[in-house]
Amino acid sequence: MKKLKLLLILACVIALIFTANQASASSEIVEFLIDLGTSYYDEGRYDQALTEFKKVLVLEPDNAIAAEYIETIKEAEEEIEQIETEQIQARQAEEPAVEPIPEYIAPEVSESITQPIIEPVNESLLEPETFEQEFTPQPPPASAIPVTAPFIPGVSAPVPAKPASDKKDDIKHLQIGKVIVSGEVQMAAGMDSGGNAIWNRSNFDLNEKNWRILSRDVYNYRENTYDPGIYDRLKVILNTPEEDNGFGFHADITIDPWSFTRKSEKMTITGAGGDSAEIQLKGFGNSNYMMNSSVYTTQNNDTFSIPEIKVVDGTSVPTNITSKWTNTFVIPAMDVDYEFQPIRELWVDYKQDDYLKLRVFPIATEKQAYSSDDPLKLSNNRTYWEDSPWLRAWKKGNYNSTSGSFTKGYWDDSISFGTRDSSGNRLTALRGFSFNLNPGEETSFTTTWATPKDPWQYYSDIDNIGGATRVKQVVGDKVALGLTHTARIGMVDGGSTVDSRVNVLAGDASYEFIEGTKAVTEVAASQGKYDITNSTYMTRSRGNAYFFSLVNRYPRMEILNTSYDRIQPEKDESFMSKVRFMAVHMDKGFDTPLSSYRQTRKDSYWSRHIHFRQPLNYFYESLFYPSMNSADLSAFAIGDGVDIGRDVIGMRWKVSLEDSFSNLFDIRNVHTVEGKYVETVARDEAELKVTDKLTAKALGIYQDMPKTKAGIDPFIYDSLTGIYLTNSAVKDGTDPSLKTGSLGMEYEFTDWVRVNGVYERTNDYTLAYGDFPRGILCDANMSDTYYEYGNKYMRELNYLYSQQYFPSAPYPFYNVYKAGIMLTPTDKTQIYLDYTRNDFEKAGQISDGMNHYGAEIGYLPSKKLGFYTRYTYSRWQDLDRVIEGDTKTVGHHNIFISTRYAPTPEQEFDIEYGVSPNYPVIESTTSDPLGGSLQTIDTMHIIRLYYRRKF
């Protein structure tokens, strides 16, 4: 048996190194095991359920669902054993036995034996009724999970109801044979301020502020640009039972505006100056306009933007365009062809218990991309609002004949990031397969291969293919080993010719030399070739990356297979400390085409403030919940400084003392691999429960930066290259370091009155607001020329403009005052009043740091009926005025009113007036996810009606 196991491991390693088979993410295996375990549990087969949940913890040691089941089943077993012992003792006391009681005889239950009290299920605990929830309703703590009493032989003991985090709807779905049919329906209509009826107007990208806040073209209303979100949808989902072995099937058939794509034929247009460019208009059925896009010319590498061109009777309107280098191009009228693409997901599974799983997905969403759990996260590393790197296209390099230069090929996210439906779902698909093999509890093999397809590609066209493979082996109880391989191939001519190729191979190890203390290390090497089809300009990349960390948990507990982020206090622990020391090096030539570190290297802007505010529950009473909650987002709050071409050392230490105190200290020091100083960022944030009624929070951040270089912005950089943007307002030799100190308190006067206040003193004018609004004043051209190995290259040069209207280093300090009053006079009513006074009057509407007064009321007279209204009076130095030199502060009024009626649990009617700061129909990634942001600063006179139903 051991030989067979070794042969299997050897076969996996050989497959890793010499083949490029990629497959299903471990999260899918965990999901399968949980479903299998819960099915055993529901059938009363608790031993089998316990086995499956233990397997889950091998793959994902901190899985809350599996841990809850295991703990509760074990407690039930202990209680059974105790009760049986008491029964035997009672029986022996009444009738002393001469001979030992046979082991297999079931004890009789004496009426004098006290049985465990089984509380009836309190359904209210499963509903988001209280107003203490964060961001989205959370599952109740384990102590609050209601218990049911399925029969266990010999005793009726408490066992857990299905955890709320895994709770499925109670709708009885149609079943045809083994196929379960479910889905949803939405119908919508609206009316604008002119009394015009709206039946179909939606575009998620309108939520993004970027360039739209400076434009009034089409549906752009500058500061008041927003997605109307008016569209109809029919979604039908077909599934076979997940717990079944053998073949399974899944399909998502959706009919909505994004199921109808439209495009023109490709055309080459010539400018007045003689240059030329290949263009193709692309769009969806969500409006009467084609999408905007950027185009680069073929001879000069000049660039121009195609605006959102109107389509009339299937033909685009002729449009004149001026390029960056003032060349004039004419886009003629072009016929637009429609295509119906209703299939969003389609795959076939083959399962054999927890031993193996094969999934072939002809079309699927980015969720099928494999997220590796190696220390360097070599596959699918990204922040929460980014598109998966697996979705990006290969953009072929171009020879610029006029200048005799070459523009390198690159992985392009212009389509994968921007094409989303109004729910925020990305519309670039993946085609491929995944495979997972678990020959034993200590061994796993996972591989995934996939190629992206944008909505306008022919299915047979391929521009790149990528994959990731991971093998893990636990040796004894102290050592875990891993091998990871990622690969990506860029193609041209529809997939017939290879134009780029990158391979990354890495090995990692964890050694828990003392219980609760482990060392983790990984070594990775990459090799790549780009622009292979042009032998003169072909480039090679080669580099290494190294990771090392020490992780400690106290009180001591086994953490071999638990990452630092997932180490959490146990329910019965009054104190926990966890600390991590980390050192990471990535060569400039190191290449990870399936992961991106550009955004995860820095703090999320909302994490640089103290928060007491929580979105009102009204938003999350609907049929559809946001896909992420505050716990999910916390993993992205603090950056780690890690990126290509950097050396990072850092420490993170968190201490938790029951529910009364917690403190997080984090520090990182970053240099380039050439030794140039980049930054040192230190923070300390603490929360103290001073009394039962008073909670205090404190936050301190110090970001030490090197002296500025004239003309280079110290904070805003290109997300593709990592190069900092040019900014003519930056002077040489000034100190751009940032310091923030903040203190907040919340006092609960009564059960229904809570008051909070925050004071912040800082000189952070950019990172604390996500570079908004000054980062919007950005443009680019292709005028940056450089040389490598004697060859002349040209790349895009991004620059900021009108920055003289914003503070420059050294940045002066300013004050921010925030206050909020939460009133819950009844269990059906919630009122929140808030106020912000910010000396930095250019702070905009993406967070509650904008100067404003606000009042919102949620009233739920019953589970079927809900009302919500929000009024905000804000004051802002409007950006369109600022760039003209006018810094006058202007007042804005915004009101939003909503009524929701749910006659049954599976359907609802909504009527809305105006645009809400946050609501589940349209989610904006540019807004503060913790609440307080505004989609628009003025009242939008629009009425929207929705009918939604799940089936």
Side-chain angles (χ1 to χ4, degrees), residues 187-191 230 910-912 943-947:
M187 294 185 289
M191 181 179 296
I230 298 173
D910 287 317
I911 180 169
E912 300 174 350
I943 296 174
R944 290 175 287 190
L945 296 91
Y946 296 95
Y947 170 74

Side-chain angles (χ1 to χ4, degrees), residues 628-791:
M628 299 187 74
N629 57 41
S630 57
D632 298 324
L633 291 170
S634 64
F636 303 98
I638 306 176
D640 56 19
V642 174
D643 202 353
I644 293 169
R646 289 183 164 201
D647 289 328
V648 181
I649 58 172
M651 184 189 79
R652 187 170 296 180
W653 182 21
K654 184 171 184 179
V655 175
S656 302
L657 182 61
E658 292 184 327
D659 296 327
S660 59
F661 176 75
S662 67
N663 189 83
L664 171 63
F665 174 75
D666 183 85
I667 185 170
R668 61 183 183 267
N669 175 273
V670 184
H671 288 73
T672 67
V673 291
E674 295 90 355
K676 182 181 177 182
Y677 181 52
V678 176
E679 65 182 10
T680 298
V681 185
R683 77 156 59 204
D684 192 86
E685 51 184 302
E687 180 174 348
L688 174 64
K689 190 80 171 177
V690 182
T691 69
D692 290 341
K693 294 182 176 295
L694 179 62
T695 300
K697 294 183 180 182
L699 172 65
I701 300 175
Y702 175 50
Q703 183 160 344
D704 183 65
M705 306 278 290
K707 301 297 183 182
T708 57
K709 183 178 179 181
I712 303 298
D713 194 272
F715 297 110
I716 302 179
Y717 55 87
D718 184 284
S719 60
L720 179 65
T721 64
I723 298 174
Y724 287 88
L725 274 54
T726 59
N727 178 355
S728 60
V730 175
K731 299 177 182 179
D732 192 57
T734 61
D735 184 6
S737 298
L738 304 178
K739 304 177 183 70
T740 296
S742 187
L743 178 65
M745 293 188 180
E746 182 176 68
Y747 190 80
E748 184 177 355
F749 286 94
T750 69
D751 292 341
W752 63 279
V753 179
R754 296 204 314 269
V755 177
N756 67 73
V758 175
Y759 169 69
E760 181 178 304
R761 183 164 177 79
T762 182
N763 67 339
D764 187 347
Y765 293 87
T766 180
L767 299 182
Y769 305 101
D771 303 320
F772 182 86
R774 76 179 190 93
I776 291 174
L777 304 177
C778 177
D779 211 332
N781 58 48
M782 299 298 294
S783 61
D784 187 24
T785 301
Y786 63 103
Y787 291 84
E788 286 183 1
Y789 305 107
N791 287 331

Side-chain angles (χ1 to χ4, degrees), residues 234-523:
L234 171 63
K235 178 185 288 287
V236 178
I237 299 175
L238 309 176
N239 281 310
T240 53
E242 296 181 0
E243 64 272 14
D244 286 358
N245 280 332
F247 288 98
F249 172 80
H250 168 82
D252 179 341
I253 302 169
T254 299
I255 302 174
D256 63 13
W258 298 274
S259 303
F260 299 88
T261 62
R262 49 188 179 183
K263 63 182 178 181
S264 68
E265 293 294 327
K266 291 183 179 179
M267 174 183 291
T268 298
I269 59 175
T270 302
D275 202 355
S276 62
E278 184 179 71
I279 64 169
Q280 182 179 34
L281 304 183
K282 300 175 181 179
F284 289 106
N286 59 332
S287 73
N288 293 324
Y289 291 83
M290 305 298 277
M291 291 174 54
N292 59 290
S293 61
S294 295
V295 176
Y296 300 102
T297 62
T298 56
Q299 285 85 43
N300 296 335
N301 213 29
D302 190 6
T303 181
F304 60 86
S305 295
I306 299 178
E308 292 169 312
I309 298 176
K310 190 170 185 178
V311 177
V312 179
D313 296 330
T315 303
S316 65
V317 175
T319 306
N320 296 334
I321 295 174
T322 301
S323 73
K324 294 292 182 183
W325 293 356
T326 67
N327 198 356
T328 302
F329 292 83
V330 177
I331 300 178
M334 303 176 71
D335 291 334
V336 175
D337 296 324
Y338 288 79
E339 185 176 352
F340 182 44
Q341 300 183 37
I343 300 177
R344 299 285 170 86
E345 291 183 325
L346 176 64
W347 64 64
V348 177
D349 287 329
Y350 178 78
K351 302 177 184 178
Q352 186 176 338
D353 296 326
D354 61 336
Y355 181 74
L356 66 83
K357 180 180 179 180
L358 171 66
R359 171 168 293 174
V360 179
F361 44 94
I363 190 164
T365 66
E366 63 179 341
K367 293 179 181 179
Q368 299 305 310
Y370 175 51
S371 298
S372 62
D373 61 356
D374 65 297
L376 288 169
K377 301 177 183 177
L378 295 174
S379 177
N380 213 32
N381 186 69
R382 59 189 172 110
T383 195
Y384 67 96
W385 50 261
E386 284 186 286
D387 57 316
S388 169
W390 286 66
L391 300 183
R392 298 174 186 177
W394 172 247
K395 185 77 171 181
K396 182 182 178 181
N398 182 70
Y399 178 71
N400 311 306
S401 57
T402 302
S403 61
S405 63
F406 187 80
T407 303
K408 292 182 178 181
Y410 62 96
W411 304 106
D412 182 16
D413 68 348
S414 60
I415 290 180
S416 61
F417 180 81
T419 53
R420 286 171 282 183
D421 64 20
S422 282
S423 298
N425 301 309
R426 301 192 187 276
L427 299 171
T428 299
L430 286 176
R431 303 162 289 181
F433 72 92
S434 58
F435 176 72
N436 195 93
L437 177 68
N438 294 284
E441 292 185 2
E442 303 86 7
T443 308
S444 66
F445 174 86
T446 303
T447 185
T448 299
W449 270 101
T451 177
K453 177 196 175 298
D454 73 47
W456 301 278
Q457 268 183 292
Y458 292 111
Y459 193 86
S460 59
D461 284 351
I462 297 175
D463 61 47
N464 76 92
I465 185 170
T469 301
R470 181 149 172 81
V471 178
K472 293 191 292 185
Q473 176 68 46
V474 177
V475 182
D477 57 358
K478 291 188 175 183
V479 177
L481 304 175
L483 282 173
T484 305
H485 173 255
T486 67
R488 196 162 201 178
I489 301 171
M491 304 173 184
V492 294
D493 303 326
S496 62
T497 307
V498 174
D499 194 40
S500 66
R501 183 185 296 112
V502 185
N503 281 277
V504 184
L505 183 63
D508 62 275
S510 298
Y511 175 42
E512 189 169 2
F513 50 91
I514 300 173
E515 185 180 45
T517 304
K518 67 176 179 178
V520 181
T521 186
E522 184 171 20
V523 178

Side-chain angles (χ1 to χ4, degrees), residues 46-80:
Y46 303 107
D47 289 340
Q48 294 97 322
L50 192 60
T51 300
E52 301 308 322
F53 291 128
K54 286 181 177 178
K55 292 175 183 177
V56 171
L57 294 186
V58 172
L59 295 173
E60 193 174 290
D62 60 334
N63 187 284
I65 298 173
E68 179 68 23
Y69 273 113
I70 290 172
E71 183 173 352
T72 309
I73 292 174
K74 285 184 176 179
E75 288 175 355
E77 289 176 345
E78 291 173 359
E79 190 167 352
I80 292 169

Side-chain angles (χ1 to χ4, degrees), residues 26-300:
S26 62
S27 60
E28 297 172 1
I29 302 302
V30 169
E31 189 177 315
F32 166 70
L33 293 177
I34 288 177
D35 288 341
L36 184 60
T38 51
S39 66
Y40 284 147
Y41 169 83
D42 293 338
E43 296 170 6
R45 298 159 63 183
Y46 303 107
D47 289 340
Q48 294 97 322
L50 192 60
T51 300
E52 301 308 322
F53 291 128
K54 286 181 177 178
K55 292 175 183 177
V56 171
L57 294 186
V58 172
L59 295 173
E60 193 174 290
D62 60 334
N63 187 284
I65 298 173
E68 179 68 23
Y69 273 113
I70 290 172
E71 183 173 352
T72 309
I73 292 174
K74 285 184 176 179
E75 288 175 355
E77 289 176 345
E78 291 173 359
E79 190 167 352
I80 292 169
E81 185 177 350
Q82 177 65 29
I83 291 174
E84 288 179 342
T85 301
E86 292 176 357
Q87 290 172 336
I88 292 172
Q89 291 174 347
R91 185 166 182 162
Q92 288 176 339
E94 294 175 3
E95 300 179 17
V98 177
E99 298 180 358
I101 297 176
E103 180 179 355
Y104 193 68
I105 294 178
E108 297 178 3
V109 181
S110 171
E111 294 181 359
S112 64
I113 302 299
T114 302
Q115 298 294 327
I117 297 175
I118 308 303
E119 297 289 344
V121 175
N122 182 356
E123 294 183 358
S124 66
L125 291 174
L126 296 178
E127 300 294 335
E129 289 283 332
T130 69
F131 296 113
E132 300 291 335
Q133 310 278 355
E134 287 189 48
F135 188 60
T136 189
Q138 301 294 303
S143 60
I145 294 179
V147 296
T148 58
F151 180 76
I152 296 179
V155 68
S156 182
V159 291
K162 197 157 192 169
S165 58
D166 192 43
K167 187 182 70 170
K168 297 180 181 178
D169 59 66
D170 296 326
I171 300 173
K172 293 183 178 180
H173 302 298
L174 173 66
Q175 186 161 345
I176 303 174
K178 276 202 166 186
V179 178
I180 301 169
V181 182
S182 61
E184 62 188 59
V185 174
Q186 173 174 298
M187 294 185 289
M191 181 179 296
D192 61 20
S193 58
N196 302 308
I198 305 171
W199 300 103
N200 180 27
R201 187 179 299 171
S202 51
N203 182 354
F204 184 91
D205 193 56
L206 288 167
N207 292 322
E208 302 291 344
K209 300 304 177 187
N210 47 56
W211 60 273
R212 293 188 182 276
I213 204 170
L214 302 173
S215 169
R216 289 197 184 276
D217 293 338
V218 192
Y219 300 124
N220 300 323
Y221 307 134
R222 294 190 181 270
E223 294 87 356
N224 292 314
T225 298
Y226 69 100
D227 181 2
I230 298 173
Y231 63 95
D232 297 337
R233 169 177 285 169
L234 171 63
K235 178 185 288 287
V236 178
I237 299 175
L238 309 176
N239 281 310
T240 53
E242 296 181 0
E243 64 272 14
D244 286 358
N245 280 332
F247 288 98
F249 172 80
H250 168 82
D252 179 341
I253 302 169
T254 299
I255 302 174
D256 63 13
W258 298 274
S259 303
F260 299 88
T261 62
R262 49 188 179 183
K263 63 182 178 181
S264 68
E265 293 294 327
K266 291 183 179 179
M267 174 183 291
T268 298
I269 59 175
T270 302
D275 202 355
S276 62
E278 184 179 71
I279 64 169
Q280 182 179 34
L281 304 183
K282 300 175 181 179
F284 289 106
N286 59 332
S287 73
N288 293 324
Y289 291 83
M290 305 298 277
M291 291 174 54
N292 59 290
S293 61
S294 295
V295 176
Y296 300 102
T297 62
T298 56
Q299 285 85 43
N300 296 335

Side-chain angles (χ1 to χ4, degrees), residues 885-927:
D886 181 1
T887 58
K888 179 181 178 182
T889 302
V890 180
H892 300 270
H893 300 269
N894 182 295
I895 188 168
F896 172 76
I897 302 171
S898 172
T899 299
R900 176 178 297 140
Y901 173 62
T904 64
E906 64 272 4
Q907 63 179 326
E908 67 179 22
F909 295 86
D910 287 317
I911 180 169
E912 300 174 350
Y913 169 75
V915 177
S916 168
N918 288 305
Y919 57 108
V921 179
I922 302 174
E923 300 174 15
S924 173
T925 59
T926 59
S927 298

